[in-house]
C-alpha cells in the first residue's frame, strides 16, 4: 500500500519522506517554510561569506563551482559572475555524455569562466556502472560519488577553499529536517545522502580486479588535506530562492539548450540532458520505490501552483516508470553495450530489484507487464 502526500504526488515509499498528521510530506512543509525566510538577509549573509573568500590580489580563483553544464549549474555560474566573483568551474564528466550535454558545457564556458573537466578512466567507470547496478541497483552510483569527490579534490589541488553547490536535494525532495536545514556539504553529508546506498568506495577494492589506484577519483581527500586548504562548501539554494524551472528560463536566455520533446520518463524538456544513463537510474527508483522522475517534477510544479494536483497525477500515470527503451533517443541496447549487457541481462537485474509488493502480479505471483514491458502499480487507482 502506498500513501501519497495530499498536496503533491510524492509517495511515502520514498526514502526519507514522511507524511505528517495532515498527510502532507516534509518536502511540501520545507517549501512552505521558505515563505517565512528573509531572503534579503540571506543574500547579505551570502555576500559576506563571498567577500571573506574573495581572492584580493588576483593570484587565485575566488571559489569553485561544480558544474555539469545543466540548467542549475548554468544558473550558479551566472549568479557568481553577477556577484563579481571569478569562479573556477569543475566538471566530473558524466558516464555517457550526450551531444546536447556537451553543447551545454561549451555554452557554460562561453559565459566567461575558467573551466576544468576531469574524466575518470572509462574502463573503470564501466566496471563501476556494472557493480553499481548489479549490487545496489544504481547504475549512476559512480557518477553520484564523483560529482561530489572530484570538485572537492579540485579545491585541494588548486588551493581554492570555497565550493558553491546548488540546491540541497534534501530540502526540495524531502529528508530529515536536520539535513534539509544544512547549508554546507561535508564528508558526513556525502556519506549519508550522497547516493552511496551503503556501498562504500573502500568496499570496491578487490571486486572485478579493482585496485585502490583505480578509485582515486571516487575518493574524498583526507581530513588533513581538507584542513590544510580550509575546504568548505555552501548550498546556493539556502541563500537564494531556488527553483529549477526559473533556473532553466534564465539559463536558456543565456544560451542553454533544451530539447524539443519531453525527456523519456520525465514531464519536462530542460533537465537531465547530459547523460544517457539517467533513464536507467530513474527506472530503478521506480522499481524499488514505485515512483520516478515524473513524480519528482510533477510534485515540485504542483507545490509551486503551476499545475493542479489532478493534472500532476495524470502526468505521472502517463510518464512515470516506463521501461527505459530509449533515453535522449539512444536505444537501451546501445546504452548497455559498453557494459557488456544485453536487454535480457538488464531485465533480469530489474527483476532482482523490483519491490514486488508495489506492482500487479498474476495468480502465480508473476509480475504483469504490458506489451512494452511496463509494470502497473498496485494502487494507482487509490491515489486520491
Ligand atoms: Zn508533498
Amino acid at each position: 500500500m502506498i500513501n501519497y502526500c495530499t498536496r503533491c504526488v510524492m509517495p511515502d515509499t520514498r526514502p526519507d519522506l514522511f507524511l505528517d498528521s495532515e498527510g502532507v510530506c516534509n518536502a511540501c512543509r520545507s517549501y512552505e517554510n521558505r515563505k517565512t525566510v528573509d531572503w534579503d538577509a540571506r543574500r547579505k549573509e551570502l555576500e559576506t561569506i563571498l567577500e571573506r573568500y574573495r581572492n584580493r590580489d588576483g593570484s587565485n580563483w575566488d571559489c569553485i563551482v561544480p558544474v555539469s553544464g545543466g540548467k542549475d549549474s548554468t544558473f550558479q555560474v551566472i549568479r557568481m559572475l553577477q556577484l563579481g566573483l571569478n569562479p573556477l568551474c569543475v566538471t566530473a564528466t558524466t558516464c555517457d555524455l550526450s551531444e546536447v550535454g556537451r553543447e551545454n558545457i561549451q555554452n557554460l564556458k562561453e559565459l566567461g569562466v575558467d573551466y576544468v573537466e576531469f574524466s575518470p578512466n572509462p574502463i573503470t567507470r564501466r566496471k563501476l556502472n556494472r557493480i553499481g547496478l548489479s549490487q545496489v541497483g544504481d547504475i549512476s552510483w559512480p557518477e553520484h560519488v564523483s560529482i561530489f569527490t572530484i570538485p572537492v579534490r579540485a579545491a585541494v589541488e588548486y588551493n581554492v577553499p570555497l565550493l558553491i553547490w546548488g540546491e540541497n536535494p534534501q530540502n526540495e525532495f524531502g529528508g530529515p529536517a536536520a539535513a534539509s536545514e544544512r547549508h554546507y556539504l561535508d564528508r558526513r553529508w556525502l556519506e549519508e545522502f550522497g547516493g552511496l546506498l551503503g556501498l562504500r568506495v573502500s568496499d570496491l577494492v578487490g571486486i572485478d580486479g579493482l585496485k585502490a589506484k583505480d578509485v582515486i577519483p571516487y575518493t574524498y581527500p583526507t581530513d588533513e588535506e581538507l584542513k590544510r586548504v580550509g575546504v568548505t562548501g555552501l548550498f546556493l539554494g539556502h541563500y537564494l530562492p531556488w527553483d529549477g524551472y526559473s533556473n532553466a528560463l534564465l539559463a536558456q536566455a543565456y544560451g542553454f539548450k533544451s530539447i524539443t520533446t519531453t525527456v523519456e520518463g520525465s514531464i519536462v524538456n530542460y533537465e537531465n540532458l547530459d547523460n544517457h544513463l539517467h533513464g536507467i537510474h530513474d527506472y530503478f527508483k521506480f522499481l524499488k520505490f514505485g515512483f520516478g522522475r515524473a513524480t519528482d517534477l510533477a510534485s515540485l510544479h504542483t507545490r509551486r501552483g503551476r499545475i493542479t494536483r489532478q493534472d500532476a497525477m495524470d502526468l505521472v500515470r502517463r510518464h512515470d516508470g516506463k521501461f527505459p527503451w530509449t533515453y535522449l533517443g539512444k536505444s537501451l541496447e546501445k546504452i548497455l553495450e559498453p557494459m557488456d549487457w544485453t536487454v535480457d541481462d538488464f531485465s533480469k537485474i530489474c527483476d532482482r530489484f523490483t519491490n514486488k509488493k508495489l506492482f500487479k502480479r498474476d495468480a502465480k505471483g508473476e509480475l504483469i507487464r504490458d506489451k512494452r514491458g511496463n509494470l502497473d502499480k498496485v494502487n494507482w487507482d487509490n491515489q486520491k
Side-chain angles (χ1 to χ4, degrees):
M1 180 71 188
I2 307 172
N3 296 301
Y4 293 87
C5 172
T6 50
R7 282 196 196 163
C8 67
V9 287
M10 274 302 178
D12 63 354
T13 46
R14 182 185 182 102
D16 292 334
L17 187 118
F18 309 99
L19 300 179
D20 64 16
S21 53
E22 290 169 51
V24 177
C25 79
N26 42 333
C28 282
R29 291 294 182 205
S30 248
Y31 180 70
E32 197 176 52
N33 290 338
R34 285 191 196 188
K35 290 185 187 118
T36 63
V37 170
D38 180 350
W39 290 109
D40 288 336
R42 289 268 176 102
R43 192 188 167 96
K44 284 202 185 86
E45 212 183 310
L46 173 67
E47 285 171 3
T48 309
I49 297 170
L50 297 179
E51 212 36 56
R52 199 184 310 148
Y53 283 93
R54 191 189 294 275
N55 179 280
R56 288 175 209 290
D57 61 5
S59 63
N60 205 355
W61 294 277
D62 299 319
C63 60
I64 283 187
V65 184
V67 295
S68 63
K71 64 179 196 331
D72 291 330
S73 51
T74 304
F75 170 81
Q76 279 158 256
V77 173
I78 295 167
R79 282 286 182 263
M80 287 302 108
L81 291 173
Q82 286 170 340
L83 288 161
L85 267 85
N86 178 30
L88 174 63
C89 296
V90 177
T91 292
T93 313
T94 64
C95 297
D96 188 356
L97 183 64
S98 65
E99 218 169 291
V100 66
R102 176 53 74 199
E103 286 177 47
N104 282 329
I105 287 175
Q106 192 54 36
N107 179 65
L108 186 140
K109 293 191 234 180
E110 295 290 342
L111 296 174
V113 289
D114 288 321
Y115 171 89
V116 178
E117 181 163 343
F118 186 96
S119 303
N121 177 340
I123 299 169
T124 304
R125 184 63 159 238
R126 291 195 282 270
K127 280 188 189 175
L128 295 176
N129 291 133
R130 284 181 63 102
I131 295 169
L133 193 70
S134 57
Q135 296 207 359
V136 292
D138 186 5
I139 199 160
S140 302
W141 185 89
E143 183 160 312
H144 292 151
V145 176
S146 63
I147 56 171
F148 292 115
T149 55
I150 287 171
V152 179
R153 292 189 74 91
V156 170
E157 182 68 29
Y158 292 98
N159 208 24
V160 179
L162 182 65
L163 285 140
I164 309 286
W165 303 97
E167 68 177 334
N168 178 348
Q170 296 297 319
N171 193 308
E172 180 68 57
F173 297 118
S180 67
E181 280 309 306
R182 291 175 84 95
H183 50 279
Y184 58 96
L185 190 154
D186 55 14
R187 184 203 294 269
R188 209 192 117 239
W189 189 94
L190 174 74
E191 283 166 359
E192 211 167 330
F193 303 110
L196 299 187
L197 302 170
L199 183 64
R200 283 173 315 178
V201 179
S202 53
D203 299 337
L204 298 171
V205 176
I207 302 177
D208 211 359
L210 288 172
K211 298 186 175 66
K213 70 177 173 68
D214 296 320
V215 293
I216 297 169
Y218 308 94
T219 311
Y220 220 62
T222 63
D223 286 339
E224 293 77 60
E225 287 173 308
L226 295 171
K227 221 172 144 188
R228 176 170 57 75
V229 176
V231 174
T232 183
L234 57 81
F235 288 113
L236 206 54
H238 175 80
Y239 299 97
L240 305 173
W242 191 270
D243 172 30
Y245 185 58
S246 354
N247 293 357
L249 289 181
L250 197 74
Q252 279 169 345
Y254 274 85
F256 171 84
K257 262 193 199 161
S258 299
I259 59 170
T260 50
T261 55
T262 55
V263 176
E264 295 93 327
S266 174
I267 59 169
V268 305
N269 65 343
Y270 56 75
E271 59 139 53
N272 287 351
L273 306 176
D274 57 3
N275 185 355
H276 289 113
L277 300 191
H278 278 308
I280 295 177
H281 167 75
D282 290 341
Y283 185 59
F284 268 70
K285 194 161 86 170
F286 183 75
L287 297 179
K288 290 174 180 178
F289 307 114
F291 76 99
R293 194 64 194 153
T295 294
D296 286 330
L297 287 158
S299 292
L300 76 84
H301 286 297
T302 306
R303 220 168 272 147
R304 286 167 175 79
R306 291 186 195 118
I307 50 173
T308 63
R309 190 168 179 278
Q310 196 64 39
D311 282 334
M313 284 189 288
D314 171 56
L315 295 178
V316 166
R317 282 197 192 98
R318 287 176 72 89
H319 294 280
D320 228 8
K322 297 288 180 257
F323 191 82
W325 288 109
T326 62
Y327 195 78
L328 299 172
K330 186 170 177 178
S331 74
L332 180 62
E333 204 180 353
K334 280 264 173 274
I335 292 170
L336 294 170
E337 209 174 72
M339 281 152 272
D340 208 19
W341 273 326
T342 62
V343 172
D344 200 40
D345 297 330
F346 173 76
S347 298
K348 289 197 179 100
I349 301 169
C350 291
D351 283 348
R352 278 205 284 122
F353 285 95
T354 304
N355 180 348
K356 301 204 168 58
K357 282 187 218 140
L358 301 179
F359 302 98
K360 288 183 184 152
R361 284 173 289 171
D362 64 18
K364 285 188 237 151
E366 301 288 324
L367 290 163
I368 301 171
R369 289 188 176 80
D370 71 8
K371 282 180 190 156
R372 299 288 295 157
N374 298 317
L375 297 168
D376 199 8
K377 267 206 290 185
V378 278
N379 62 337
W380 266 142
D381 315 332
N382 304 337
Q383 190 174 345
K384 289 193 291 285

